[in-house]
């Protein structure tokens, strides 16, 4: 999976800036997506492209349990968020609906990857490759069940007895 | 080695345990509201599924209901649709709903305990992160997203990786409990351990400082566990817990025999070990005021706004975050907190809108008018709280001080109903999140206790409530 980076070099990006409260009444995901990241970066919607990745610091997605947060990012075209750490409800919501990949990276990757870099995520090798800078970083492996849920496309497609 | 309270509740709810990875957990109670449930019910319909246990599922509307006159129609069409959708879903699937006109309507985390739906040792979920509130009763209470809401509706279970255990010990005794409150304790904890300090854990709050608190104050503590990143917060039940839940609308018929079991079983064994520990001494803590854009950015009311360097302890992202927060909040490092002028006061939310909160706040303002440049509102956490407060005459005290006295709902905590800040407005708020735009685009939130909010309304700026005569 390949994409270009939109970097927010800060910790604690919360769900209220990912999708502000006034938009939680919107049921149409395409419309919801037009307000993604509006609380932090009003230009996000015009600059995000299909397949982009977000890179950020610690505790990404802290706050509310609104699944609208990964949905808004996903329907904006974002396929993965790379962060130093994730708030657990955001992480879970991202996986449950297979909306996007929450990739936990280390400080070297965080420091080394810049805005616009082309990144390749290789889940089978647990690697994040920076094609722009020709560097490779390790990502934290998904636990077995999370890997399977992502593979089948979400919680409701996952059958524990299937293996 | 013995078990912690959390481990006991966990073990008694495991349906399927795997050697590695998550376990399937049985859910005793599922609370539902209008914002995070519509897609979950749509999912059930699409797959031709029923709600497995409608008798264990209870719904109310709180997030986007207006808090003004309930006889008026709801002007916001999208809110109105979301509310009607919940009515239809509850009707179609046979779920009890406390609608906008019900005397039991209110913020889901206020009505759960008030109705006796929240029980010690139970598992509770709700599509809202502040579900952690119910942990004050010794329940394992988890906030979940909409996919999990659908999963629980369909199966009454959810997959959960076993969280780690975290002991937060609160030692000591507060000298003036009318001035320094549970809100100040929990903000002090988050200030110390950080907004990610509890990630992946279930916190158990213990110690003299916790057992001294009333049930309503304990709910304030557990409510904000999520602001430290924890999956849940718990407090072992005691006689205060059992007394609180006696004779509520949904209190089980065999309650006294349940209490006998809970009294012996729902506590951490003496030889149990926690995976993480933190101790807070509350003997000398001051009232807290948040100055930044997450609840960890908090200081004593007697302090001045910190510099990004002082706040960050050398962490570059923390430093950048603090500078961004100061810019957003339009604050300068070195400004004494007591000199910060406010425009709005909000006493409400699932953190601090229970009867005791309103009683304590009313003592601060009684016989005085709010500052001429301040707009202030009280939004009781539930219609039951409102009724009880009115029976005590609290509404008159607030109204005579020029506070607005509203109907129950989440109101200005989250900026998705008509109660919002205008851009640039600065608010002393008893809610739980000071994120950018949380209370309305461009709004600036300072998290405080109800007595601190009330005192700020009168003075027009923050004041140290310990200086007031509140006894």
């Amino acid at each position: 999976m390949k994409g270009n980076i939109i970097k927010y070099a800060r910790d604690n990006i919360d769900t209220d800036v990912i999708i502000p409260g006034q938009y939680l009444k919107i049921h149409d995901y395409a419309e919801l997506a037009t307000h993604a990241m509006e609380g932090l970066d009003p230009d996000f919607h015009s600059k995000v492209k299909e397949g982009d990745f977000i890179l950020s610091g610690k505790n990404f997605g802290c706050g509310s349990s609104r699944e609208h947060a990964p949905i808004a990012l996903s329907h904006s075209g974002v396929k993965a968020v790379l962060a130093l750490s994730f708030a657990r409800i955001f992480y879970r919501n991202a996986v449950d609906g297979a909306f996007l990949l929450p990739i936990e990276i280390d400080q070297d990757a965080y420091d080394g990857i810049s805005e616009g870099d082309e990144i390749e995520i290789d889940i089978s090798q647990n690697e994040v490759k920076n094609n722009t800078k020709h560097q490779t970083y390790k990502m934290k492996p998904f636990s077995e069940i999370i890997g399977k849920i992502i593979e089948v496309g979400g919680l409701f497609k996952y059958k524990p007895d299937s293996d | 080695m013995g078990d912690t309270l959390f481990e006991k509740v966990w073990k008694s709810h495991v349906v399927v345990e795997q050697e590695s990875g998550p376990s399937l957990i049985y859910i005793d109670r599922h609370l539902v509201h209008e914002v995070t449930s519509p897609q979950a019910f749509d999912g059930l319909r699409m797959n031709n599924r029923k709600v497995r246990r409608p008798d264990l599922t209870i719904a109310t509307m709180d997030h986007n209901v207006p808090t003004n006159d309930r006889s008026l129609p709801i002007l916001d069409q999208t809110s109105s649709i979301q509310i009607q959708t919940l009515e239809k879903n509850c009707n179609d699937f046979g779920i009890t709903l406390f609608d906008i006109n019900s005397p039991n309507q209110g913020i889901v985390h206020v009505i759960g305990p008030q109705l006796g739906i929240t029980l010690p040792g139970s598992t509770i979920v709700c599509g809202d992160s502040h579900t952690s509130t119910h942990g004050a009763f010794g329940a394992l209470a988890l906030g979940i997203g909409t996919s999990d809401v659908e999963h629980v509706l369909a199966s009454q279970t959810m997959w959960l990786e076993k969280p780690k255990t975290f002991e937060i010990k609160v030692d000591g005794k507060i000298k003036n409990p009318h001035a320094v409150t549970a809100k100040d304790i929990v903000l002090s904890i988050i200030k110390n351990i950080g907004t990610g300090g509890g990630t992946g854990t279930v916190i158990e709050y213990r110690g003299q400082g916790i057992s001294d608190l009333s049930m309503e104050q304990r709910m304030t503590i557990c409510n904000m566990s999520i602001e430290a990143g924890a999956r849940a917060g718990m407090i072992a039940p005691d006689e205060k817990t059992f007394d609180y839940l006696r004779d509520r609308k949904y209190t089980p018929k065999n309650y006294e025999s349940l209490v006998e079991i809970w009294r012996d079983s729902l506590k951490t064994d003496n030889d149990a070990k926690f995976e993480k520990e933190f101790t807070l001494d509350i003997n000398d803590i001051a009232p807290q005021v948040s100055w930044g854009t997450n609840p960890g950015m908090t200081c004593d009311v007697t302090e001045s706004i910190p510099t990004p360097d002082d706040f960050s302890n050398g962490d570059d992202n923390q430093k950048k975050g603090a500078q961004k927060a100061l810019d957003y909040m339009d604050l300068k490092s070195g400004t004494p907190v007591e000199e910060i002028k406010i425009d709005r006061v909000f006493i409400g939310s699932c953190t601090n809108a229970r009867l005791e909160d309103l009683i304590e706040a009313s003592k601060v303002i009684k016989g005085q008018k709010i500052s001429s440049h301040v707009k202030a509102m009280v939004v009781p956490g539930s219609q039951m709280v409102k009724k009880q407060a009115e029976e005590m005459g609290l509404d008159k005290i607030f109204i005579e001080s020029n506070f607005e006295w509203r109907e129950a709902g989440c109101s200005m905590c989250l900026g998705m109903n008509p109660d919002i800040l205008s851009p640039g407005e600065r608010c002393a708020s008893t809610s739980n999140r000071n994120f950018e735009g949380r209370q309305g685009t461009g709004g600036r939130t300072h998290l405080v206790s109800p007595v601190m909010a009330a005192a700020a309304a009168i003075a027009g700026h923050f004041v140290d409530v310990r200086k007031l005569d509140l006894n």
Side-chain angles (χ1 to χ4, degrees), chain B residues 211-223:
Chain B
S211 49
D212 281 349
L213 298 175
S214 69
M215 288 315 298
E216 298 199 348
Q217 293 166 328
R218 292 180 194 180
M219 283 188 251
T220 301
I221 302 268
C222 287
N223 172 276

Side-chain angles (χ1 to χ4, degrees), chain A residues 63-127:
Chain A
S64 155
S65 69
R66 58 189 71 165
E67 205 156 304
H68 308 68
I71 292 171
L73 293 178
S74 164
H75 283 258
S76 298
V78 174
K79 295 287 179 233
V81 176
L82 289 69
L84 289 170
S85 65
F86 288 90
R88 301 321 293 179
I89 307 182
F90 179 90
Y91 188 95
R92 190 179 174 94
N93 286 342
V95 171
D96 269 355
F99 297 117
L100 51 82
L101 293 178
I103 309 275
E104 286 188 71
I105 51 165
D106 59 19
Q107 193 70 38
D108 287 345
Y110 177 77
D111 292 336
I113 300 172
S114 310
E115 174 87 15
D117 284 0
E118 186 190 275
I119 298 295
E120 198 171 336
I121 298 168
D122 185 346
I123 294 176
S124 63
Q125 299 298 314
N126 294 313
E127 277 178 356

Side-chain angles (χ1 to χ4, degrees), chain B residues 303-417:
Chain B
E303 291 181 311
S304 298
I305 302 301
T307 64
D309 274 322
D310 285 345
F311 176 74
S312 64
N313 286 326
D315 182 310
D316 195 43
N317 264 5
Q318 289 279 344
K319 186 176 162 181
K320 277 193 241 165
Q323 187 55 56
K324 281 206 166 80
L326 291 178
D327 294 345
Y328 180 83
M329 293 296 287
D330 193 27
L331 290 172
K332 287 198 174 59
S333 300
T335 305
V337 171
E338 288 193 80
E339 286 178 14
I340 299 170
K341 287 200 174 122
I342 51 147
D343 309 302
R344 304 284 292 266
V345 169
F346 170 58
I347 298 179
S349 87
C350 57
T351 313
N352 275 129
R354 297 181 178 82
L355 189 60
E356 271 176 53
D357 297 320
L358 306 192
I359 292 171
E360 292 296 316
S362 74
K363 287 183 194 164
V364 174
I365 58 156
K366 193 171 183 181
Q368 302 177 78
K369 301 280 184 211
I370 60 174
S371 176
S372 58
H373 64 85
V374 170
K375 280 200 285 187
M377 64 198 290
V378 181
V379 186
S382 70
Q383 292 303 86
M384 275 181 283
V385 169
K386 179 169 184 265
K387 183 165 173 275
Q388 289 168 319
E390 287 173 352
E391 282 164 5
M392 296 175 70
L394 302 185
D395 55 327
K396 290 190 185 67
I397 296 173
F398 283 111
I399 291 165
E400 279 164 16
S401 298
N402 292 335
F403 271 83
E404 289 183 53
W405 179 253
R406 295 295 193 98
E407 306 292 328
C410 296
S411 184
M412 211 203 273
C413 176
L414 86 165
M416 72 168 300
N417 55 64

